[in-house]
Amino acid sequence: MARKTTTDDPLAPVTLAVGQEELLLDRAVQQVVAAARAADPDTDVRDLMPDALQPGTLAELTSPSLFAERKVVVVRNAQDLSADTIKDVKGYLGTPAEEITLVLLHAGGAKGKGLLDAARKAGAREVACPKMTKPADRLAFVRSEFRATGRSATPEACQALVDAIGSDLRELASAVSQLVADVEGTIDEAVVARYYTGRAEASSFTVADRAVEGRAAEALEALRWAVSTGVPPVLITSALAQGVRSIGKLASAPRGARPGDLARELGMPPWKIDRVRQQMRGWSADGVAIALRAVAEADAGVKGGGDDPEYALEKAVVTIARTARAGRR
């Protein structure tokens, strides 16, 4: 679904992935890494957040190797790089090193626009990864996922899948993969209903993801949909607790550690490490504590300690989202 411009060669010296859709950003990175490792199985991949890229770090990472090894350097949230590091990156864009592919992930807004413009001017390969906020966009995404597998799904099946799973593209892609693997022939609405309608886990984690990202309106919308489809409130409080605790765990982990190492240490899959890194921006230890107290109160409310479980959930979701937003100001 990501749209490429400039060149289709994933081994171009610089790839610029622009947007805020996490799945598409991850796929842009994965495509480059896969191409590099196809050319050289020993390719060294460095996946860095802005705080790990200090002035001079890029020069060290892109300096010639005695063994002329291929390397992929991924810089996430490039719009958040310091001014001095941005100067380093701009300087590198003019004379990129051989056998090295630089991948810049940029949100695409006004922040860090100078770097964005410089990369485009330098002829970087660009991959558009726009946030899919409209139901029609998510429906088109599901259709494209089925097409990519060479399988057929009816329009009703695609719509039912979007209705059942919600707005999380990663969940939608996973659902398509499972259906394609499990079902022969054309996938219709009845198949989707059997597999996914009212799936509690997906609904609960959508609520949690939107809340810890500070997106109160979307979190409340997802919450009301989940409740209306019969998702047990205890599953929602559990998902909220897990979302907040994941942020707390990652925030206390060593800075600069690779996703694979963190995954083993924290007991999370690597893709979740990347997602939580995106979500934790602005969170503090005090914020995590406030959010956990809100979850505990909601949990007590849905287990008989209150008269209105749905109100208890809404109160927790709003508190978590406000805490997330407050930390980003």
Side-chain angles (χ1 to χ4, degrees), residues 47-159:
D47 196 323
L48 306 171
M49 296 296 287
D51 58 359
L53 200 67
Q54 301 300 320
T57 304
L58 183 62
E60 294 176 9
L61 291 173
T62 57
S63 60
S65 167
L66 291 175
F67 304 101
E69 66 180 357
R70 183 177 291 276
K71 187 179 294 184
V72 175
V73 178
V74 181
V75 180
R76 296 181 183 271
N77 295 338
Q79 72 279 357
D80 294 331
L81 290 171
S82 68
D84 288 338
T85 302
I86 286 177
K87 289 181 183 178
D88 287 352
V89 177
K90 286 182 176 179
Y92 176 82
L93 292 172
T95 54
E98 292 186 10
E99 301 298 314
I100 293 177
T101 300
L102 175 65
V103 184
L104 300 173
L105 275 58
H106 194 292
K111 186 176 182 182
K113 189 174 184 299
L115 176 58
L116 191 64
D117 292 341
R120 285 170 170 162
K121 186 176 180 180
R125 166 182 177 262
E126 184 167 342
V127 183
C129 306
K131 196 72 179 175
M132 295 190 183
T133 57
K134 298 178 181 178
D137 292 338
R138 295 191 286 273
L139 182 59
F141 171 79
V142 168
R143 288 172 176 165
S144 72
E145 290 289 289
F146 279 117
R147 282 197 301 270
T149 67
R151 294 291 300 279
S152 297
T154 66
E156 294 79 10
C158 294
Q159 185 63 62

Side-chain angles (χ1 to χ4, degrees), residues 14 22 45 98 126 138 187 201 227 261 283 286 289 296 329:
V14 181
E22 293 177 21
V45 179
E98 292 186 10
E126 184 167 342
R138 295 191 286 273
I187 295 164
E201 184 179 7
V227 171
D261 297 333
W283 279 91
D286 288 343
R329 290 173 184 166

Side-chain angles (χ1 to χ4, degrees), residues 1-310:
M1 193 68 184
R3 300 187 301 275
K4 291 175 280 189
T5 60
T6 306
T7 176
D8 283 337
D9 182 8
L11 292 182
V14 181
T15 285
L16 179 65
V18 184
Q20 300 179 43
E21 192 57 70
E22 293 177 21
L23 175 64
L24 302 185
L25 290 168
D26 285 346
R27 285 183 173 180
V29 173
Q30 290 162 8
Q31 184 186 32
V32 172
V33 172
R37 286 185 168 155
D40 180 359
D42 295 324
T43 294
D44 181 21
V45 179
R46 304 296 180 92
D47 196 323
L48 306 171
M49 296 296 287
D51 58 359
L53 200 67
Q54 301 300 320
T57 304
L58 183 62
E60 294 176 9
L61 291 173
T62 57
S63 60
S65 167
L66 291 175
F67 304 101
E69 66 180 357
R70 183 177 291 276
K71 187 179 294 184
V72 175
V73 178
V74 181
V75 180
R76 296 181 183 271
N77 295 338
Q79 72 279 357
D80 294 331
L81 290 171
S82 68
D84 288 338
T85 302
I86 286 177
K87 289 181 183 178
D88 287 352
V89 177
K90 286 182 176 179
Y92 176 82
L93 292 172
T95 54
E98 292 186 10
E99 301 298 314
I100 293 177
T101 300
L102 175 65
V103 184
L104 300 173
L105 275 58
H106 194 292
K111 186 176 182 182
K113 189 174 184 299
L115 176 58
L116 191 64
D117 292 341
R120 285 170 170 162
K121 186 176 180 180
R125 166 182 177 262
E126 184 167 342
V127 183
C129 306
K131 196 72 179 175
M132 295 190 183
T133 57
K134 298 178 181 178
D137 292 338
R138 295 191 286 273
L139 182 59
F141 171 79
V142 168
R143 288 172 176 165
S144 72
E145 290 289 289
F146 279 117
R147 282 197 301 270
T149 67
R151 294 291 300 279
S152 297
T154 66
E156 294 79 10
C158 294
Q159 185 63 62
L161 196 59
V162 172
D163 292 342
I165 299 298
S167 60
D168 191 313
L169 255 60
R170 204 180 297 274
E171 291 283 356
L172 287 168
S174 177
V176 170
S177 296
Q178 182 172 5
L179 288 170
V180 167
D182 291 357
V183 180
E184 296 182 358
T186 299
I187 295 164
D188 59 20
E189 188 176 9
V191 170
V192 174
R194 188 166 72 245
Y195 271 74
Y196 291 105
T197 298
R199 195 176 75 160
E201 184 179 7
S203 304
S204 301
F205 284 106
T206 297
V207 176
D209 285 342
R210 299 297 86 80
V212 299
E213 291 163 3
R215 294 152 63 179
E218 293 178 43
L220 287 172
E221 180 183 359
L223 171 63
R224 288 160 188 162
W225 181 87
V227 171
S228 70
T229 57
V231 176
V234 292
L235 290 184
I236 299 174
T237 55
S238 175
L240 290 170
Q242 183 173 328
V244 175
R245 288 189 187 116
S246 293
I247 288 172
K249 283 183 181 180
L250 192 56
S252 62
R255 288 179 175 267
R258 295 184 180 184
D261 297 333
L262 287 173
R264 287 188 292 273
E265 181 179 343
L266 303 180
M268 300 181 194
W271 66 262
K272 188 167 185 179
I273 296 289
D274 292 337
R275 175 186 291 181
V276 176
R277 273 179 168 163
Q278 299 289 330
Q279 294 172 335
M280 66 184 286
R281 183 170 60 86
W283 279 91
S284 64
D286 288 343
V288 170
I290 290 169
L292 286 175
R293 282 197 297 272
V295 173
E297 291 174 4
D299 192 52
V302 303
K303 290 179 179 176
D307 297 328
D308 190 342
E310 186 172 347

